[in-house]
Amino acid sequence: QYNQVFNTEIKDVGGNFASSTFTAPITACYQQSYNVIYEGLSSSNTYCRGRIVTSNRTYEDYLILKTAQASFNTNRVVHAMDMDSGDTAVCNVVVFGSTKVVDINGAKYSCYLLG
């Protein structure tokens, strides 16, 4: 398991995001998405799991790898998440198969207050 560290912020109203953790400023529903691009996968990798782990529950999406496409794949997790004030969300990935060493070419995280 690898917790994704994001090194660029485009917009962070209220300063609720730091490095790899979002902290909910108010109790509400948030639309969160996490997109990660894997490179250097081998045919021995069977699937990848992208996850957003919150204080209340874990949201995950599995990417089944096909041998012909194993060198480059994109995984995306998108969910509406109920969060209480002070709850946290962290993005991470898990790669399954004989070798678990892969490159992450890019990763994006976004969070919007739904109400």
Side-chain angles (χ1 to χ4, degrees):
Q1 174 178 306
Y2 168 75
N3 285 348
Q4 180 65 49
V5 176
F6 300 93
N7 49 3
T8 302
E9 278 188 65
I10 295 173
K11 189 170 189 177
D12 182 1
V13 177
N16 303 306
F17 187 78
S19 176
S20 63
T21 304
F22 168 74
T23 303
I26 62 171
T27 299
C29 187
Y30 295 86
Q31 163 110 11
Q32 298 187 50
S33 67
Y34 172 43
N35 187 54
V36 61
I37 300 171
Y38 306 99
E39 281 189 350
L41 296 163
S42 72
S43 59
S44 63
N45 296 120
T46 52
Y47 62 97
C48 301
R49 180 178 66 203
R51 304 184 335 162
I52 301 176
V53 180
T54 70
S55 302
N56 294 332
R57 63 188 52 87
T58 297
Y59 302 85
E60 53 193 12
D61 192 10
Y62 290 85
L63 173 66
I64 305 300
L65 303 173
K66 298 186 184 215
T67 304
Q69 302 168 338
S71 63
F72 179 82
N73 283 273
T74 301
N75 196 5
R76 183 171 185 150
V77 181
V78 180
H79 288 279
M81 304 175 186
D82 61 313
M83 297 181 76
D84 299 319
S85 177
D87 282 354
T88 59
V90 176
C91 301
N92 63 48
V93 298
V94 179
V95 177
F96 296 86
S98 65
T99 176
K100 295 171 179 61
V101 178
V102 300
D103 294 324
I104 295 179
N105 184 350
K108 295 179 183 174
Y109 169 79
S110 65
C111 180
Y112 301 95
L113 177 66
L114 294 176

